[in-house]
Amino acid sequence: MGAVLHTPYTRWTDDDGRGRRPVFTAVWVRLDALYARPSGTPGHEVAAGLDVTGEVPGRLHGWLSSVKGEWLGVVDFEMPYADGRRERLAVADQLVPAQALRPDRTRRSVAEQEPGVGDDRRGS
């Protein structure tokens, strides 16, 4: 995914003199928490819509603070479609509230890796 949003909390590494590269931390993005439907709101299903339930793997590369002191992670992740198609919607530099993130201890933090982020955990 190209350039990343630089924040005061972006970690950097020097790749043997080839330049600074951001360090990505593996996280799980809780889509249910990020895209919560207000209680009592009527809904209807759109078969070809995005599946905003469960968790998907993401790459955290910075933090920003809101005026109220809430922390927002800067995250790249891919969202699945509800109809089961293989393609996903890739989103970059999304501001995700800290409570919608959790560490992924199965993947390691690395400097600028390929965006293939692995399997998702929808419905967990």
Side-chain angles (χ1 to χ4, degrees), residues 1-2 31 35 50 56-59 61 75-81 85-94 114-117:
M1 289 201 186
L31 296 176
Y35 301 108
L50 292 168
V56 294
R59 302 180 329 145
H61 55 85
V75 185
D76 301 341
F77 58 95
E78 296 179 354
M79 297 178 64
Y81 288 91
R85 71 182 90 165
R86 292 182 108 164
E87 70 183 74
R88 293 168 178 255
L89 176 66
V91 294
D93 294 341
Q94 299 297 296
E114 289 301 312
V117 290

Side-chain angles (χ1 to χ4, degrees), residues 1-15:
M1 289 201 186
V4 298
L5 176 67
H6 299 180
T7 75
Y9 302 97
T10 299
R11 291 185 308 150
W12 299 92
T13 186
D14 183 1
D15 187 21

Side-chain angles (χ1 to χ4, degrees), residues 56-114:
V56 294
R59 302 180 329 145
L60 172 72
H61 55 85
W63 290 97
L64 293 168
S65 177
S66 75
V67 69
K68 294 183 179 183
E70 299 155 326
W71 286 101
L72 304 168
V74 183
V75 185
D76 301 341
F77 58 95
E78 296 179 354
M79 297 178 64
Y81 288 91
D83 61 9
R85 71 182 90 165
R86 292 182 108 164
E87 70 183 74
R88 293 168 178 255
L89 176 66
V91 294
D93 294 341
Q94 299 297 296
L95 298 178
V96 179
Q99 66 268 20
L101 297 171
R102 70 179 181 88
D104 180 351
R105 307 221 189 276
T106 65
R107 295 181 296 138
R108 60 186 182 97
S109 297
V110 293
E112 186 106 50
Q113 66 186 23
E114 289 301 312

Side-chain angles (χ1 to χ4, degrees), residues 14-65:
D14 183 1
D15 187 21
D16 298 326
R18 289 183 258 169
R20 268 181 9 155
R21 296 170 33 177
V23 173
F24 292 94
T25 301
V27 295
W28 288 106
V29 179
R30 294 180 44 232
L31 296 176
D32 299 279
L34 183 57
Y35 301 108
R37 174 185 290 278
S39 81
T41 303
H44 63 279
E45 293 206 15
V46 178
L50 292 168
D51 182 355
V52 293
T53 61
E55 296 181 310
V56 294
R59 302 180 329 145
L60 172 72
H61 55 85
W63 290 97
L64 293 168
S65 177

